[in-house]
Each structure stands twice: as structure tokens, then as C-alpha cells.
Amino acid sequence: MSALMPTYARLPVTFSHGEGVYLFDTEGRRYLDGISGIAVNGLGHNHPGVTAAIQDQAGKLVHTSNLYGVGPQEELASRLAEISGMERCFFGNSGAEANEAAIKIARLHGHNRGIEKPAIVVLENAFHGRTMATLSATGNRKIQAGFEPLVSGFIRAPRNDLEAIRQIAVNNPDVVAFFAEPIQGEGGVHPLDEDYLRSVRALCEEQGWLMMLDEVQTGNGRTGTWFAYQGMGFTPDVVTTAKGLGNGVPIGACLARGEAAATFGPGHHGSTYGGNPLVCAAALAVVEAITGEEVLANVEQMGALIRDVITSDQAAAPRIKEVRGRGLMLGFQLDRDCPGLVQEALEAGLLINVTAGNTVRLLPPLIISEQEARELAEGVANLIAGL
Ligand SMILES: Cc1ncc(COP(=O)(O)O)c(C=O)c1O
């Protein structure tokens, strides 16, 4: 019996190493990674720049705490601010922690305005993490069950329903923020409409709410821009990210601008490890690689190619009800549940994911080549055709 708490139903495979888009198991079998450790290894496995940065920093300094200045943390905050249009950054160790920081900023922002019980608007089907506040913000009753009492102060609205948000504004003077994923990932790859997001931005301005986006999964190049909101014609007040930022080292970031950036002062929030020299050196190497190696253009091209190959497969196409997502965050909703598909893919040497019961989710490394993208797409098409 494993000594681990069984919080995950794990697949029967253990990997020993990886190279680029491939992982190798302890028996020496090779797998094409179509999931990147759940949108984490954007630069694939053993990326030379990231590996060198980790090795170099490990030989100098791993941790000092945030009681002192941390050079790589300052540098990373500046780079992320430049990339995102934000002004300031708080570092934690995961997506959930990045979101906790955002939730605390929203609440403190409310208290600063004299609102004693500040509320945050969140969406049905959202996923924001597993800590108590982020679980409460998550719109999935199944994963909340058994953990009540949940954290109060969240008001839920249906996705892409502007009128519902307007009604909430009319009926709830205590709302201080809107918080959502631009593309709901764990909930089945459901993008929010750009028009909806632009209208929510305008409503937030009108109401004095913070617009906060959870880009834990969509950030760091996953959708073809550094953040998914970029190119939509607006800037949020707060953005959270994690996953791809460290390519596997645990890091989360909460970025903010304007009033939101000025909310936290000494003692308001903290993390012993958050933004330590090792993880920030790794993340700086990630930033350099994604901004410098034409990775973002590759994301768009390979995303389009994978979509095309799968949807033009004559045997697979009739089983596909809808294709959703952007860049290399793709969901293929099938006309039936496919509980055995991940295991079948594993046996065929492919790592994929199924979410919401019937949606094949692909999150391959952003550096996937054309040949590898074809190999993944043809393999997935065959699996869907065989259902
Ligand atoms: C959109 C989003 N937010 C938050 C999280 C939680 O991140 P973590 O597991 O690093 O705490 C996830 C993880 O899947 C996510 O997809």
C-alpha cells in the first residue's frame, strides 16, 4: 500500500526523465506529452535554458526569505510588469496561493472603502484552486462537498451572462470585484466571450469593482499571447498566474495595477518561500525563452494544426460535437463520455486528459514541432475514432 494519501486516482505509470515533448517511464517506454503536467511544462522537459538557470542559481543561493532583498525576485517582478501592463507583483508558490492573494487584495480594497462584508463575483463552472477560499470561489459543487462551511463573500453568476452581472450590481452594494478565468480550464475548456469580458471591464469601472483574471492556466503563452486578455483591448486590475511560469518549479504570481497595486502594505500578506531566488531564476529563464524564441507564434500555428488534423479525420469528426479553446489550450467535446480514453492513450504512448467527462483536453508543450503536433493529433484522432 502506498504511504501517500490517495487524493489522486493515478495512472499506472511513473516517469524517470523527459526531453522536449517526450517523457520516458521507468521501463524505458517513450510517451508524447500532450498535457505538460497540466499546462506547466510549456517549454517541455529539460529545457536547456531553464535547466541551466536552476543549476546555476542552486550553486549560488536557494533561499533567504522575504525578510531581505531578493535580486531575481525584483527582476522577475519587473519583467512580468512590463509584459502584463501591471505595476506590482506578489509571489507565492502555486496557483491557489496567487488567487488567495487576489482575493485578499479585493477584500482589503473593499474594507479601505468602508465595505465591511466585501463580496466577489465569480462564475459557475469556475476552478480557482483547492485552498478554502479558492475552493469557495470555485463553481463545482462536487469538489466543495464535505468541506463546508465554505468561505463566504462570493456571489455566483452564469458564464457569459452580462445581464446577470448587471443584476448583481443593482442588488449588491457590497461587491468589490469580478474574478474569472478568461478560458475555464478544469471546467471543460470554455472561453469567455471577448465582448462579455470587455463589457464586464466597463461595468467594473462604472461600479468601482476590481476586474481580476485568473490566468493560472491561460497565462505564460498558453493561448498564443502572454496572457489571454492581451489583444482583447482592455487591461484588468489584477491578474494571477502560476503553472507555466516556472516550467515545473513551484511559483505563483499575483500582479496588480492602479489602486489594487497599492492595497497591500507590510504585514498584509506573506509567504516564507514565495519568490525565492531559485524559483525566480527559473521563471526568468522561462520568460526569456517564451519572449525570445518565437514560441508564441508556434503556439498559434501548432494549435491550428492540431485542430485541423483532428477535425478533418473522417472517422473522428462525427464524434466531435464542439472544439473550444485558443492556442495550445484545446478541448474537443465528444458526443459521448469517454472514461477509458486516457488509459487507452497511455497504452498508445500519448499523454492526454479528459475533463468534464466527455471533453478531450490537450495542453502540449508550447515548443511542440510540426511533426510532433501531427503525431499527437493523429494519435488522438485515432483514439476518438475507436470509441
Ligand atoms: C485556472 C486555475 N486556477 C487555479 C488553479 C490552482 O492552481 P494550483 O494547483 O497550482 O494551486 C488551477 C489549477 O488547475 C487553475 O487551472
Side-chain angles (χ1 to χ4, degrees):
M1 191 185 81
S2 168
L4 294 170
M5 292 192 190
T7 51
Y8 284 88
R10 293 171 197 267
L11 288 160
V13 65
T14 302
F15 300 110
S16 61
H17 62 287
E19 197 59 51
V21 300
Y22 292 102
L23 278 168
F24 298 84
D25 72 12
T26 45
E27 314 291 307
R29 261 199 91 197
R30 189 177 87 154
Y31 301 80
L32 176 51
D33 188 355
I35 192 76
S36 307
I38 324 183
V40 169
N41 302 99
L43 294 171
H45 304 279
N46 196 18
H47 182 272
V50 179
T51 301
I54 293 171
Q55 286 172 339
D56 178 58
Q57 188 60 46
K60 287 188 202 155
L61 189 65
V62 172
H63 178 79
T64 55
S65 92
N66 289 304
L67 296 176
Y68 313 103
V70 180
Q73 187 183 130
E74 293 279 354
E75 209 183 320
L76 181 62
S78 298
R79 287 294 283 127
L80 290 176
E82 234 168 69
I83 290 170
S84 63
M86 299 287 126
E87 290 160 20
R88 283 190 169 150
C89 193
F90 173 86
F91 291 107
N93 311 287
S94 64
E97 283 178 73
N99 289 342
E100 287 279 343
I103 291 164
K104 284 181 71 175
I105 287 174
R107 285 189 166 196
L108 190 55
H109 171 76
H111 281 278
N112 290 345
R113 294 180 157 208
I115 298 173
E116 270 177 38
K117 292 192 171 169
I120 300 172
V121 178
V122 289
L123 299 184
E124 285 171 8
N125 202 48
F127 184 83
H128 296 298
R130 301 280 193 160
T131 59
M132 280 314 303
T134 58
L135 181 67
S136 305
T138 287
N140 179 340
R141 274 302 302 153
K142 253 187 10 213
I143 64 174
Q144 291 173 335
F147 299 105
E148 297 84 359
L150 298 175
V151 174
S152 61
F154 295 102
I155 300 177
R156 202 160 300 282
R159 177 177 64 228
N160 284 330
D161 184 344
L162 186 64
E163 196 42 44
I165 309 283
R166 287 212 177 101
Q167 278 309 311
I168 289 172
V170 170
N171 296 324
N172 300 274
D174 289 346
V175 172
V176 293
F178 168 90
F179 186 39
E181 304 149 88
I183 303 175
Q184 295 184 333
E186 301 309 294
V189 194
H190 291 281
L192 298 185
D193 297 338
E194 287 191 27
D195 278 347
Y196 168 80
L197 281 169
R198 276 190 287 269
S199 303
V200 168
R201 168 72 274 185
L203 190 72
C204 285
E205 218 122 312
E206 184 191 301
Q207 297 289 330
W209 299 352
L210 298 178
M211 184 190 199
M212 312 202 299
L213 292 183
D214 177 345
E215 295 234 24
V216 166
Q217 188 161 151
T218 50
N220 312 298
R222 178 55 52 194
T223 70
T225 48
W226 188 277
F227 288 111
Y229 67 81
Q230 290 171 322
M232 290 190 190
F234 67 87
T235 314
D237 300 294
V238 176
V239 187
T240 60
T241 195
K243 290 195 182 271
L245 180 58
N247 210 52
V249 300
I251 184 167
C254 175
L255 307 162
R257 68 183 180 103
E259 250 184 83
T263 304
F264 279 161
H268 280 136
H269 199 38
S271 165
T272 300
Y273 294 127
N276 83 14
L278 186 75
V279 297
C280 288
L284 277 165
V286 170
V287 170
E288 196 180 327
I290 294 182
T291 49
E293 286 175 11
E294 297 183 352
V295 173
L296 296 177
N298 192 61
V299 170
E300 281 202 19
Q301 288 158 11
M302 294 307 114
L305 183 138
I306 291 170
R307 254 178 207 256
D308 280 358
V309 170
I310 295 179
T311 54
S312 57
D313 183 285
Q314 292 197 349
R319 309 226 153 116
I320 301 171
K321 271 180 74 178
E322 194 176 26
V323 185
R324 297 186 294 267
R326 236 178 77 188
L328 286 172
M329 179 173 183
L330 295 170
F332 299 83
Q333 186 178 333
L334 307 183
D335 62 358
R336 62 198 76 185
D337 280 359
C338 47
L341 202 71
V342 170
Q343 175 69 37
E344 279 172 46
L346 188 72
E347 284 157 20
L350 293 179
L351 306 179
I352 62 161
N353 177 249
V354 169
T355 169
N358 61 8
T359 302
V360 176
R361 184 167 60 148
L362 298 181
L363 299 158
L366 313 183
I367 50 144
I368 194 167
S369 70
E370 184 173 339
Q371 193 190 334
E372 292 157 350
R374 281 191 191 281
E375 182 187 338
L376 175 64
E378 284 163 10
V380 169
N382 283 341
L383 288 164
I384 293 173
L387 276 173

